[in-house]
Amino acid sequence: MSGSGKKPQHVLGIDIGGSGIKAAPVDIETGDFLEDRRRFATPESGDPESIIEIASKLRRHFSWKGPIGCAYPGVVRDGRTLTAANLSPEWVGMKAETALSKTLDQPVTLINDADAAGLAEVRIGAAADVSGVVMMVTLGTGIGTAMFVDGKLVPNTELGHLRIEGVEAEDLASSRAKNDLDLGWRDWSEQITIYLRELERLFWPDLFVIGGGISKNFEKFGPRLDVTTPVVRALMQNRAGIIGAALAAAEHR
Ligand code: BGC
């Protein structure tokens, strides 16, 4: 926690992922966790009821009262979840922000998970104070993207679903694809390079920030990425979704 005189604002961040649902109370000035992160496995069904129940369990675990930010792995607009690539289709079209606020009995702000991760990096992480076009790319079960123009988020970019020679990028270059296709670091780096080059060709970003849990092994693939745009490793790694969700809730208020 920051020792500065200014009273830090605290928000509970929850990150719903394809494999785990994680939470921690966050100091939004520093991004520090006020207590150890808690994680539960995402149920196989991926349905709203079970996942919202786990989010509620996490709130109770921290005895949390106050604002909550929640990151969701799909498109979120006006509190509705509009896609569910790696969860149950029951989420599609649902007023999930209202449902979460009701069950958790606290005000919940919902944001796409990659947008959350990007927010964390752009506000207090690897892209803090970077102007121009910053593209966050999270490599996990899917590929999440977040685009910022001079620090302002362009929400729900969904460029993990960009097709390259007919194949969705997340089936080519996510960390799930690395496992599914049994790719070593070198071959996987080549796949990510193909993907990042396509993003370069279309968006001409000033900086790529690479996140997702696997970014902890950045030294194994980062230096092999053969693109002209500077590429940096996310600073928050797998904490970014939680921190960014908390920041989104704080900024929303
Ligand atoms: C979803 C995105 C999400 C990403 C990472 C993709 O399949 O469509 O919304 O950000 O996975 O979870």
Side-chain angles (χ1 to χ4, degrees), residues 16-20 22 41-43 73 86-87 113 141:
I16 299 172
S19 56
K22 303 145 256 173
T42 305
N86 296 301
L87 293 177
D113 58 355
T141 311

Side-chain angles (χ1 to χ4, degrees), residues 73-75 83 85-86 112-114 138 142-144 158 161 170:
V75 171
T83 67
N86 296 301
N112 169 264
D113 58 355
T138 65
I143 291 182
E158 291 295 316
H161 299 292
E170 66 177 32

Side-chain angles (χ1 to χ4, degrees), residues 74 95 156 160 187 248:
K95 287 187 179 167
N156 295 311
D187 290 342

Side-chain angles (χ1 to χ4, degrees), residues 75-83 91 93-97 110:
V75 171
V76 177
R77 196 162 61 191
D78 298 331
R80 272 182 201 265
T81 43
L82 299 183
T83 67
W91 286 93
M94 191 183 159
K95 287 187 179 167
E97 195 176 70
L110 199 60

